[in-house]
Amino acid sequence: METLKHECGVALVRLLKPHDYYRQKYGTDAYALNKLYLMMEKQHNRGQEGAGIACVNMHAEVGTEYMFREKALGKDAITEVFDRINAQWTEAQLFMGHLRYSTTGKSGLKYVHPFLRRNNWRAKNLCLCGNFNMTNIDEIFSKMVMQGQSPRIYSDSYITLELMGHRLDREVERLFQEAKDKELYGTDITQYIEDHVLMENVLRTTMADYDGGYVMCGMTGSGEMFAMRDPWGIRPAYFYMDDEVVALASERAVLQTTFNLEYDDVKELPAGQALIVCKNGCAHITTILQPRNLSRCSFERIYFSRGSDQDIYHERKQLGRQLTKPILNAIEGDTEHTVFSFIPNTAEVAFYGMMEGLREKGLYVRSEKVAWKDIKLRTFITEAGSRNDLASHVYDITYGSLHPYEDNLVIIDDSIVRGTTLRESIFKILVRLHPKKIVMVSSSPQVRYPDYYGIDMARLEEFCAFRATMALLRQRGLWHVVNQTYIECVEELKKPASQQRNCVSALYKPFTVDDINDKMAEMLRPQDMHIPVQFVFQTIEGLHAACPQHTGDWYFTGNYPTPGGNKLVNRAFVDYYEQSIK
């Protein structure tokens, strides 16, 4: 219902055969480009603010370009960048694509991946893209300054490019000395360097100090390609390799569809490890950092990833199935006078699971497509009144789908985060059906905490669960909890990140989930709406039962997998308190 922005999607393709092979077998000079295009379009859900592609031609003649890049902004960026490519691209062997959603508020072409670091030595050229958000970029920046560097731009993408580029330079210099020791000269030294670059060395010395969720992808001008996953396994990556190609993407189903593969053909890149393809085409998986507290992002399963993945499809159905008991309690078992529906479109699979769960109980249930996504609010309307009026019409309804004043309406969504769309649009349009009661169901638990690893949920006051909790603290005379939490957050921020705890969780302890649910219903229901509203949220236990391999739940529980998460949530509350309360 409420569009959340996920930072990025990545796609890599490395050809392992001569171009004549693909031309003869597949009848095209653009085999790799076609695959890259499909992989990016199949991941369009992961980024619609911008797109970029890059390639490397290892066989380009000296004095000609061998590293190409195109970037564009907007929802049609994929089409735009592929429209710009020319015949030179079809001679390349390494291809990399990226889709961007900003989680930092920074926009513009200079923030669109891939990023490119140029050098006259092929082995020192580095092209980088990734699905990442780092929590300790301040510390990384300071470390670079202490080394004598002067980064021109303060962003995690640029700083990572420069830091990794610096380590790549050191690797090349190491090999230069080896070549000299072997009494090689001239271009023989260059060839030796290009044939012996160890990206493992570069990655280990670059990524060791990072705190955050990431899949870092890159390629060098001499033909090295790599993708590394964070040691907590927060951000996802899957790969496929055979004797023709090596490919990697952010989602398993993307590779299955693009290359016509079975489920078991696609492998998950393990946490802390890297897929490295050397200049000669040899590919291997190697450990860069030891795995830590594994915390695969559960929001990937609930919301972001394509539901065509067989595991995700079953998990989303299970999330819906597990909600049948509290839903029945909310309607007092009156399925005869209840219509079940969902908010398009990502909650549809959870809806199927919910309906299956009800029917498994031997119940006759009625379902209708009650809500339709109609238009998007046009931002050129700036007057508040006009803007709010348009927002209330983002969705439309199926008139006559309920018996007015007799039927309850149960609506399931995958997540309820900010509540803005509910208040400004959904409830205002559903009231026209005249339901006896609205039960608003979320297949995920209450979102209570910011995410700092790649989703645009960074400010506490954005969350309706947080706002409801603050209102309850004031209403019940517990404001001292707020003041004490502020004091404790300030004290924690004086400590190193590794020693900090999440102090914000204390705000929620005085209340049950139902307390917060009821307050949210009160706050999100429009003032002129008199129909009863009740919220039903997934439980934490239900989440883990449905998605047992994806235990990352920090946005629901506050259990951040990295020290940087605790540091940033404490800082977020201090900022909120000082700007809104103090």
Side-chain angles (χ1 to χ4, degrees):
M1 181 202 308
E2 298 171 300
T3 301
L4 295 176
K5 297 178 182 178
H6 187 282
E7 186 166 357
C8 299
V10 296
L12 302 182
V13 178
R14 171 63 154 91
L15 298 181
L16 302 179
K17 300 281 190 181
H19 279 284
D20 284 346
Y21 174 91
Y22 304 96
R23 189 177 299 116
Q24 294 173 13
K25 183 171 181 179
Y26 299 105
T28 177
D29 289 323
Y31 171 80
L33 285 168
N34 290 340
K35 296 301 185 185
L36 185 69
Y37 175 76
L38 279 174
M39 292 168 69
M40 293 179 70
E41 282 291 1
K42 294 296 181 182
Q43 295 182 99
H44 211 159
N45 56 297
R46 304 186 71 87
Q48 298 181 35
E49 290 186 3
I53 56 176
C55 71
V56 173
N57 180 3
M58 295 188 293
H59 306 314
E61 293 184 6
V62 175
T64 63
E65 185 59 81
Y66 52 88
M67 234 175 163
F68 303 87
R69 180 186 60 171
E70 290 287 350
K71 303 194 292 185
L73 290 171
K75 61 182 180 62
D76 298 320
I78 298 175
T79 301
E80 185 176 338
V81 295
F82 276 91
D83 282 346
R84 291 185 203 155
I85 63 176
N86 55 47
Q88 291 175 300
W89 285 70
T90 62
E91 298 302 315
Q93 299 80 33
L94 290 72
F95 299 83
M96 185 164 69
H98 185 267
L99 297 127
R100 182 177 192 264
Y101 251 146
S102 170
T103 62
T104 62
K106 296 178 180 178
S107 61
L109 199 60
K110 70 178 182 179
Y111 294 107
V112 176
H113 304 207
F115 296 98
L116 186 57
R117 191 176 192 259
R118 294 286 197 180
N119 194 286
N120 270 355
W121 300 89
R122 285 179 183 256
K124 287 188 175 184
N125 282 266
L126 178 64
C127 193
L128 201 65
C129 77
N131 174 10
F132 60 86
N133 207 42
M134 306 303 186
T135 69
N136 66 332
I137 201 65
D138 293 350
E139 290 87 341
I140 300 297
F141 181 85
S142 297
K143 182 177 180 179
M144 293 176 68
V145 172
M146 292 297 293
Q147 292 173 343
Q149 299 188 57
S150 298
R152 294 181 294 108
I153 301 173
Y154 190 89
S155 73
D156 52 5
S157 301
Y158 176 78
I159 288 173
T160 301
L161 175 70
E162 288 301 319
L163 180 57
M164 190 174 295
H166 170 68
R167 298 315 310 174
L168 180 60
D169 290 346
R170 299 289 81 78
E171 172 67 9
V172 170
E173 291 161 11
R174 179 186 71 81
L175 292 169
F176 176 82
Q177 189 57 52
E178 276 189 13
K180 295 286 286 184
D181 293 343
K182 294 178 181 292
E183 300 183 348
L184 299 177
Y185 298 94
T187 57
D188 289 340
I189 293 179
T190 301
Q191 191 65 47
Y192 180 85
I193 291 171
E194 292 185 2
D195 290 343
H196 292 85
V197 168
L198 293 177
M199 286 307 301
E200 295 95 321
N201 293 343
V202 178
L203 292 171
R204 288 185 183 119
T205 52
T206 301
M207 305 308 299
D209 296 326
Y210 273 108
D211 181 303
Y214 57 85
V215 172
M216 195 67 64
C217 304
M219 53 191 185
T220 70
S222 57
E224 303 287 329
M225 177 177 274
F226 64 89
M228 179 189 168
R229 191 177 184 192
D230 68 79
W232 301 274
I234 295 170
R235 299 267 66 87
Y238 297 87
F239 68 92
Y240 167 73
M241 61 175 71
D242 59 20
D243 62 344
E244 294 183 354
V245 67
V246 178
L248 179 136
S250 295
E251 300 185 26
R252 181 193 298 271
V254 169
L255 291 170
Q256 286 186 253
T257 300
T258 301
F259 293 94
N260 192 25
L261 303 173
E262 298 296 328
Y263 176 92
D264 291 335
D265 294 331
V266 180
K267 307 300 181 184
E268 183 178 6
L269 184 62
Q273 298 195 23
L275 167 65
I276 296 176
V277 188
C278 299
K279 176 186 176 183
N280 62 9
C282 291
H284 61 284
I285 304 294
T286 187
T287 298
I288 303 300
L289 299 173
Q290 289 300 316
R292 303 184 194 175
N293 178 27
L294 289 181
S295 299
R296 296 182 181 92
C297 176
S298 58
F299 243 120
E300 286 282 347
R301 319 301 281 184
I302 298 167
Y303 182 89
F304 292 116
S305 298
R306 292 166 62 88
S308 57
D309 181 282
Q310 71 178 51
D311 290 341
I312 293 173
Y313 182 78
H314 291 301
E315 289 169 11
R316 289 181 181 175
K317 286 184 72 175
Q318 186 61 24
L319 286 167
R321 181 180 284 108
Q322 290 173 168
L323 290 164
T324 55
K325 183 176 179 180
I327 290 170
L328 289 172
N329 289 339
I331 61 173
E332 298 180 343
D334 187 8
T335 55
E336 182 179 352
H337 297 99
T338 300
V339 171
F340 295 84
S341 193
F342 62 94
I343 298 296
N345 283 319
T346 51
E348 186 174 2
V349 178
F351 168 77
Y352 294 145
M354 176 183 70
M355 298 303 288
E356 285 184 6
L358 291 166
R359 290 173 181 136
E360 287 166 2
K361 296 179 180 295
L363 298 171
Y364 167 77
V365 287
R366 296 155 53 203
S367 63
E368 301 285 354
K369 188 172 176 61
V370 167
W372 300 78
K373 189 70 173 289
D374 201 3
I375 63 169
K376 290 186 177 180
L377 174 65
R378 300 302 181 187
T379 55
F380 64 80
I381 300 293
T382 56
E383 299 86 351
S386 298
R387 185 167 60 245
N388 291 339
D389 181 63
L390 277 181
S392 69
H393 292 83
V394 169
Y395 286 87
D396 207 344
I397 55 167
T398 304
Y399 290 96
S401 54
L402 272 69
H403 296 128
Y405 309 106
E406 295 181 11
D407 287 337
N408 302 308
L409 177 59
V410 174
I411 295 278
I412 189 169
D413 190 18
D414 43 44
S415 60
I416 299 170
V417 182
R418 301 178 180 92
T420 307
T421 308
L422 277 178
R423 184 181 63 249
E424 300 298 335
S425 179
I426 296 296
F427 287 153
K428 289 183 178 180
I429 201 75
L430 292 181
V431 74
R432 300 181 184 183
L433 295 173
H434 305 294
K436 183 171 64 174
K437 178 181 183 179
I438 296 175
V439 179
M440 195 69 222
V441 182
S442 171
S443 67
S444 68
Q446 293 174 352
V447 177
R448 298 181 172 189
Y449 302 92
D451 179 78
Y452 300 109
Y453 307 117
I455 306 170
D456 70 333
M457 301 189 298
R459 300 172 61 213
L460 283 162
E461 58 268 34
E462 293 182 348
F463 308 130
C464 54
F466 176 80
R467 298 196 304 271
T469 299
M470 296 298 289
L472 284 171
L473 288 164
R474 187 183 296 277
Q475 178 183 328
R476 299 189 182 182
L478 297 172
W479 200 249
H480 64 278
V481 175
V482 177
N483 295 328
Q484 184 61 32
T485 298
Y486 169 73
I487 292 170
E488 292 182 5
C489 285
V490 170
E491 290 303 310
E492 288 296 299
L493 288 170
K494 296 176 183 178
K495 304 176 183 177
S498 60
Q499 297 177 21
Q500 291 188 39
R501 60 186 176 86
N502 177 358
C503 297
V504 180
S505 58
L507 299 171
Y508 295 99
K509 289 181 179 178
F511 311 114
T512 66
V513 170
D514 287 339
D515 288 335
I516 299 172
N517 284 351
D518 293 344
K519 194 62 180 179
M520 275 195 287
E522 176 188 324
M523 295 173 67
L524 296 179
R525 187 174 63 185
Q527 289 185 351
D528 58 350
M529 176 178 167
H530 304 293
I531 297 169
V533 174
Q534 183 172 343
F535 282 92
V536 172
F537 279 84
Q538 183 70 253
T539 64
I540 299 299
E541 296 77 14
L543 169 70
H544 292 313
C547 309
Q549 301 303 313
H550 288 71
T551 57
D553 62 3
W554 52 91
Y555 13 70
F556 309 126
T557 65
N559 296 327
Y560 289 96
T562 78
N566 290 330
K567 177 189 72 174
L568 292 183
V569 74
N570 288 333
R571 182 184 295 168
F573 185 73
V574 168
D575 290 344
Y576 165 77
Y577 186 94
E578 292 180 348
Q579 294 170 14
S580 305
I581 299 173
K582 195 171 182 179

